[in-house]
Amino acid sequence: MKRAGQRGSTLVELMIALAIGLFITAAAIGVMLGNRQTYDTTEGLSRIQESARMAFELLARDVREAGLNSCGGALQFVNVLNNPSSLWWTQWNGGLRGYGGTEAFSGAPIGTAAGQRVSGTAALQVMRSGSQPQTVAAHDTGSRTFTLSPANDALAAGDLAIVCNFSQASLFQVSAATATTVSHDTGGTPGNCSRGLGFADPPDCSTTGQTYRFEANAVLMKLESLAWYVGNTGRSGTTARSLFRVAPQNNAGTLTLVAEEVLEGVIDLQLDYLLEGTTAFVPAASVTNWNAVTGVRIRLQIEEPDRPAAVTDRVRRTMTHVVTLRNRMS
């Protein structure tokens, strides 16, 4: 005999319960996936913003200080390095030189190999003081030696250096250095073409050269020459690019070019320039006098880093930053 009120579930009721359960599960999974996608997008944007902040900070520091040195008021500039035009980092250019997307630049040759510049992206060369100016106490032209006061705390043999007063600035390679002295003899790589630091037109590259004595209170500083560009990383992925910085490094007295990968995910760099007396930025091809550039507009396209190469929907953003050259502000 059946008990009163006792009954089982029908097949229809069971199917309805399963359908409701599946619907709730699907909705929960959808919400979870949506939250995950939102999190990934937000994380990607955060990483892009972080990369942009770092890139602009590093680039802006070098651009802002382009040509910055205590020799800006010198009436004439002398470069006594061997064949300075043969090496981009030994030819003084006033501090700044830009290159358009297809313009050749030996500091960042265009190509597809790792470390080479991506075609269509800009490049920028900067020359600036790489150390605080040091005071010359005496200059012995016979021994080709500067005595510094209070001491030499920045320059080593092989470094490029600029010495100047209000009349003249001379670019040379340090042949020897001690705790208190810096010498400018011949020899080394690229080396000085003469022992003299004086001005001549055409340049005098005889062994003795043109003798010029810098008086006490002249200043001496290290020269830093570098270039920025977007290059291939050599890693997998069609847009595996990074922001690179190339500069000569002093290794036991020998200068060697070293390209360093600074920031991953920067896939494009474009530069425009503001000329003195104008209000519109122009591309590198329109600049005829690089000493007249007073500002640089930097445009970076940055891709979300740390995503697998197979991911095709990586977040990208283009960001712009304007930098004024500090030493050219009137």
Side-chain angles (χ1 to χ4, degrees), residues 126-141:
V126 172
M127 291 181 126
R128 62 181 179 85
S129 173
S131 66
Q132 291 295 323
Q134 302 181 88
T135 303
V136 173
H139 181 200
D140 186 338
T141 57

Side-chain angles (χ1 to χ4, degrees), residues 34-114:
N35 289 338
R36 177 66 183 182
Q37 185 175 10
T38 301
Y39 172 82
D40 288 343
T41 301
T42 304
E43 177 71 10
L45 288 172
S46 298
R47 293 297 304 277
I48 287 176
Q49 290 174 350
E50 179 184 358
S51 296
R53 180 185 61 79
M54 292 180 60
F56 284 134
E57 181 177 343
L58 295 171
L59 261 168
R61 181 190 62 184
D62 284 340
V63 173
R64 192 177 296 115
E65 296 180 356
L68 186 64
N69 60 77
S70 298
C71 306
L75 297 178
Q76 55 192 18
F77 192 91
V78 181
N79 188 340
V80 301
L81 297 173
N82 280 313
N83 301 315
S85 60
S86 64
L87 299 171
W88 64 268
W89 45 274
T90 62
Q91 184 177 13
W92 176 255
N93 61 9
L96 186 78
R97 174 69 165 87
Y99 300 85
T102 58
E103 187 177 359
F105 171 46
S106 59
I110 296 174
T112 58

Side-chain angles (χ1 to χ4, degrees), residues 2-327:
K2 294 183 179 180
R3 294 182 180 179
Q6 188 178 35
R7 61 186 295 270
S9 299
T10 66
L11 181 60
V12 174
E13 292 172 329
L14 182 60
M15 292 180 65
I16 292 174
L18 288 173
I20 294 174
L22 289 173
F23 177 78
I24 295 174
T25 301
I29 292 174
V31 171
M32 183 182 68
L33 292 177
N35 289 338
R36 177 66 183 182
Q37 185 175 10
T38 301
Y39 172 82
D40 288 343
T41 301
T42 304
E43 177 71 10
L45 288 172
S46 298
R47 293 297 304 277
I48 287 176
Q49 290 174 350
E50 179 184 358
S51 296
R53 180 185 61 79
M54 292 180 60
F56 284 134
E57 181 177 343
L58 295 171
L59 261 168
R61 181 190 62 184
D62 284 340
V63 173
R64 192 177 296 115
E65 296 180 356
L68 186 64
N69 60 77
S70 298
C71 306
L75 297 178
Q76 55 192 18
F77 192 91
V78 181
N79 188 340
V80 301
L81 297 173
N82 280 313
N83 301 315
S85 60
S86 64
L87 299 171
W88 64 268
W89 45 274
T90 62
Q91 184 177 13
W92 176 255
N93 61 9
L96 186 78
R97 174 69 165 87
Y99 300 85
T102 58
E103 187 177 359
F105 171 46
S106 59
I110 296 174
T112 58
Q116 291 186 326
R117 178 173 151 214
V118 176
S119 180
T121 63
L124 184 69
Q125 180 194 356
V126 172
M127 291 181 126
R128 62 181 179 85
S129 173
S131 66
Q132 291 295 323
Q134 302 181 88
T135 303
V136 173
H139 181 200
D140 186 338
T141 57
S143 63
R144 286 81 61 184
T145 301
F146 292 103
T147 300
L148 305 182
S149 175
N152 171 30
D153 58 3
L155 289 163
D159 286 340
L160 300 185
I162 297 179
V163 59
C164 69
N165 53 26
F166 288 107
S167 299
Q168 177 177 303
S170 298
L171 169 59
F172 66 97
Q173 185 172 27
V174 177
S175 58
T178 69
T180 57
T181 64
V182 168
S183 300
H184 55 90
D185 213 329
T186 53
T189 303
N192 302 314
C193 71
S194 73
R195 297 187 176 106
L197 299 177
F199 177 81
D201 189 16
D204 184 354
C205 266
S206 63
T207 302
T208 302
Q210 296 293 314
T211 300
Y212 183 89
R213 187 178 69 85
F214 286 88
E215 72 285 353
N217 295 320
V219 295
L220 181 63
M221 69 206 76
K222 182 178 179 180
L223 175 69
E224 189 170 75
S225 186
L226 56 98
W228 288 93
Y229 66 98
V230 169
N232 303 292
T233 66
R235 296 186 288 272
S236 61
T238 57
T239 57
R241 306 172 183 174
S242 290
L243 184 65
F244 282 79
R245 185 180 189 266
V246 60
Q249 291 188 2
N250 190 347
N251 183 14
T254 300
L255 296 181
T256 305
L257 278 182
V258 176
E260 298 178 315
E261 183 181 352
V262 177
L263 198 61
E264 183 183 10
V266 179
I267 62 174
D268 191 21
L269 168 64
Q270 299 298 327
L271 301 166
D272 296 299
Y273 305 90
L274 182 67
L275 303 179
E276 185 177 10
T278 65
T279 58
F281 285 86
V282 297
S286 299
V287 180
T288 57
N289 179 12
W290 287 97
N291 290 319
V293 173
T294 59
V296 180
R297 183 171 62 192
I298 306 169
R299 292 199 306 275
L300 292 175
Q301 187 177 41
I302 304 177
E303 182 179 80
E304 179 184 1
D306 299 333
R307 293 293 298 277
V311 177
T312 59
D313 60 344
R314 289 186 293 270
V315 180
R316 293 181 180 179
R317 290 293 184 273
T318 299
M319 300 184 180
T320 303
H321 187 60
V322 176
V323 183
T324 300
L325 276 68
R326 184 180 299 167
N327 72 317

